[in-house]
Amino acid sequence: MNKKFLSFGLSFYLLVPHIAFAKEEKVIPKQPTKQMEIMVKQWPDSLPRMKNNSLQFTYPDAVRGIYVNANSIGGNKWNQLIDLIKTTDLNAMVIDYKEDHGNLTFMPEKSSSYRKIGSNSIKNMTALLGQLEKEKIYPIARIVVFKDSVLAKEKPEWSFVEEEKVWTNGRGEAFVNPFEKKVWDYNVNLAIEAAKMGFQEIQFDYVRFPEGFENKGDKLTYTKGDYENLNKSEGQKRVEAVTEFVQYAKEKLEPYNVKVSVDIFGYTATLEEAPGIGQNFSKISNHVDVISSMIYPSHWTAYFGIEKPDLHPYELVSEYTKMEKKKLNQLKNPPISRPWLQDFTAAWLGKDNYQVYGKEEVQKQIEALNDQGVNEFLLWNAGNNYTKNVDYTPKNEEKKGD
């Protein structure tokens, strides 16, 4: 592979946001608020509640799902998404539980130690799960982990500080520190609450350090905790922290009978590891039930010898999957591969570098997975405007209604 393309490809991939975000306040209070201190002290009190055993879900033959943000729940958009799944071979929804800024998308009960970060975006999460049960739609709770402007603002000592202010990236987003194990518990306990509510799977997103951290870490103030004196390079320390968080989360969620999945940059599977952000595809895969690489064709450059990947969705997905299979086959107990696919148009690539993604382009990605023996996938569209009339049926299977 041409090193020039590789370098450019990684830089471009990391510059493209997963979705669009609002800019956060950069100035933070010097001391955490009293409410946040109370919330931290109350974490153990929320754990004894039993899981909602009244809900009954069955894992599908293969998960074929869509991303659903909180703004799409309720009203006509929600009815359209439900109808999309009912009338096709889609069968799952990835629903924002803790969103990209760090707030919950719903208001938890008054006794919850997380009520301070609640919102009314989703009016009734319990009722929503009941509807999904009725419609036989497999529910996955998306929890954004280390990108968390809300927690970073309240607990700067759990974040990365630059000149007495929490550091933010070019989009005004703050991250919390993967070395800080109190951050682990903060998110894992949230995941436990989601499991007890009735979600069948916890999907952790942004399980990493900020993009390009290897170039800015020396300028920031933050703790390295138990990893401070580890006899490894700084990059390997980051990999250890991220990997061990995933392992810890999996172990803590084990009693709740939920699957654990992690979203990961697709390019990390092409490397031994990505020490800058702390992701090692194989090590993370060892500790999850499902691995979901984001392999949108638009997010690559000249990988796999494909000059303009957005114009060749079948070839890109096929070549990536071949490479990923080799990595997963080296593991003793490989997880399910369930990649994120592109159902959006990447006009930002410029003329002659992109195409409008419609029925054919989405189906080609699915066919490429099927041809490599992968039948699970998730579709990403930030606004939840999914292409109509796509045939999601895996090859050699009967269509719904036949």
Side-chain angles (χ1 to χ4, degrees), residues 272-285:
E272 183 176 346
E273 61 187 16
I277 59 173
Q279 286 188 341
N280 180 303
F281 177 87
S282 297
K283 289 182 176 180
I284 290 175
S285 294

Side-chain angles (χ1 to χ4, degrees), residues 40-60:
V40 172
K41 292 177 182 178
Q42 287 181 343
W43 280 340
D45 296 338
S46 68
L47 300 182
R49 295 205 315 274
M50 298 300 292
K51 182 175 180 179
N52 185 352
N53 291 317
S54 64
L55 297 174
Q56 299 295 323
F57 291 94
T58 300
Y59 193 88

Side-chain angles (χ1 to χ4, degrees), residues 351-382:
K351 185 180 178 182
D352 299 327
N353 294 312
Y354 80 96
Q355 61 183 324
V356 174
Y357 266 55
K359 175 182 177 180
E360 183 178 358
E361 290 71 28
V362 174
Q363 284 190 187
K364 283 182 176 179
Q365 294 173 83
I366 297 170
E367 290 170 6
L369 290 179
N370 292 167
D371 286 346
Q372 297 302 320
V374 176
N375 289 322
E376 300 213 2
F377 62 85
L378 300 170
L379 298 175
W380 180 269
N381 182 288

Side-chain angles (χ1 to χ4, degrees), residues 269-312:
T270 71
L271 307 171
E272 183 176 346
E273 61 187 16
I277 59 173
Q279 286 188 341
N280 180 303
F281 177 87
S282 297
K283 289 182 176 180
I284 290 175
S285 294
N286 269 323
H287 302 295
V288 294
D289 300 297
V290 179
I291 192 74
S292 289
S293 291
M294 297 174 282
I295 59 172
Y296 320 119
S298 61
H299 282 37
W300 302 79
T301 54
Y303 270 69
F304 312 117
I306 304 170
E307 185 177 354
K308 297 180 179 182
D310 193 68
L311 304 181
H312 304 280

Side-chain angles (χ1 to χ4, degrees), residues 182-379:
K182 291 178 182 177
V183 173
W184 296 13
D185 284 327
Y186 179 88
N187 284 280
V188 169
N189 286 340
L190 262 177
I192 290 172
E193 292 300 312
K196 288 187 293 190
M197 184 178 286
F199 280 96
Q200 300 299 290
E201 182 171 317
I202 306 300
Q203 182 188 94
F204 293 114
D205 200 359
Y206 286 88
V207 184
R208 59 176 176 82
F209 284 77
E211 302 97 322
F213 191 81
E214 68 276 17
N215 300 319
K216 61 176 70 79
D218 291 343
K219 303 173 185 177
L220 305 176
T221 300
Y222 61 97
T223 179
K224 294 178 185 176
D226 294 343
Y227 301 90
E228 179 72 45
N229 298 318
L230 194 64
N231 188 24
K232 293 189 175 183
S233 69
E234 293 303 305
Q236 289 174 329
K237 289 178 183 179
R238 291 192 286 271
V239 169
E240 285 289 303
V242 169
T243 302
E244 289 181 3
F245 162 74
V246 176
Q247 181 180 10
Y248 178 78
K250 182 71 167 66
E251 291 172 353
K252 290 293 185 180
L253 285 162
E254 202 70 39
Y256 298 92
N257 194 31
V258 289
K259 291 189 180 297
V260 174
S261 59
V262 165
D263 294 338
I264 192 168
F265 280 138
Y267 83 85
T268 60
T270 71
L271 307 171
E272 183 176 346
E273 61 187 16
I277 59 173
Q279 286 188 341
N280 180 303
F281 177 87
S282 297
K283 289 182 176 180
I284 290 175
S285 294
N286 269 323
H287 302 295
V288 294
D289 300 297
V290 179
I291 192 74
S292 289
S293 291
M294 297 174 282
I295 59 172
Y296 320 119
S298 61
H299 282 37
W300 302 79
T301 54
Y303 270 69
F304 312 117
I306 304 170
E307 185 177 354
K308 297 180 179 182
D310 193 68
L311 304 181
H312 304 280
Y314 179 92
E315 291 79 4
L316 185 284
V317 171
S318 180
E319 291 304 312
Y320 170 85
T321 308
K322 291 176 186 177
M323 179 274 307
E324 183 191 81
K325 283 172 62 178
K326 290 179 180 179
K327 281 221 165 181
L328 292 178
N329 286 340
Q330 295 172 3
L331 304 180
K332 184 177 180 180
N333 295 301
I336 295 169
S337 173
R338 188 197 297 155
W340 280 100
L341 302 180
Q342 177 174 332
D343 193 355
F344 57 86
T345 296
W348 64 80
L349 294 176
K351 185 180 178 182
D352 299 327
N353 294 312
Y354 80 96
Q355 61 183 324
V356 174
Y357 266 55
K359 175 182 177 180
E360 183 178 358
E361 290 71 28
V362 174
Q363 284 190 187
K364 283 182 176 179
Q365 294 173 83
I366 297 170
E367 290 170 6
L369 290 179
N370 292 167
D371 286 346
Q372 297 302 320
V374 176
N375 289 322
E376 300 213 2
F377 62 85
L378 300 170
L379 298 175

Side-chain angles (χ1 to χ4, degrees), residues 44-81:
D45 296 338
S46 68
L47 300 182
R49 295 205 315 274
M50 298 300 292
K51 182 175 180 179
N52 185 352
N53 291 317
S54 64
L55 297 174
Q56 299 295 323
F57 291 94
T58 300
Y59 193 88
D61 62 301
V63 167
R64 298 178 290 275
I66 57 174
Y67 163 68
V68 179
N69 64 47
N71 292 331
S72 294
I73 295 175
N76 290 333
K77 173 59 76 69
W78 178 243
N79 292 333
Q80 291 169 10
L81 294 175

Side-chain angles (χ1 to χ4, degrees), residues 8 15 31 41 86 106 111 117 119 142-143 158 160 203 213 218 269 272 301 329 332 335 367-368 386 389:
F8 176 78
L15 284 171
Q31 298 295 332
K41 292 177 182 178
K86 288 175 64 177
F106 66 101
S111 61
I117 61 170
S119 73
R142 177 178 179 256
I143 294 179
W158 292 0
F160 306 105
Q203 182 188 94
F213 191 81
D218 291 343
E272 183 176 346
T301 54
N329 286 340
K332 184 177 180 180
E367 290 170 6
Y386 295 100
N389 302 317

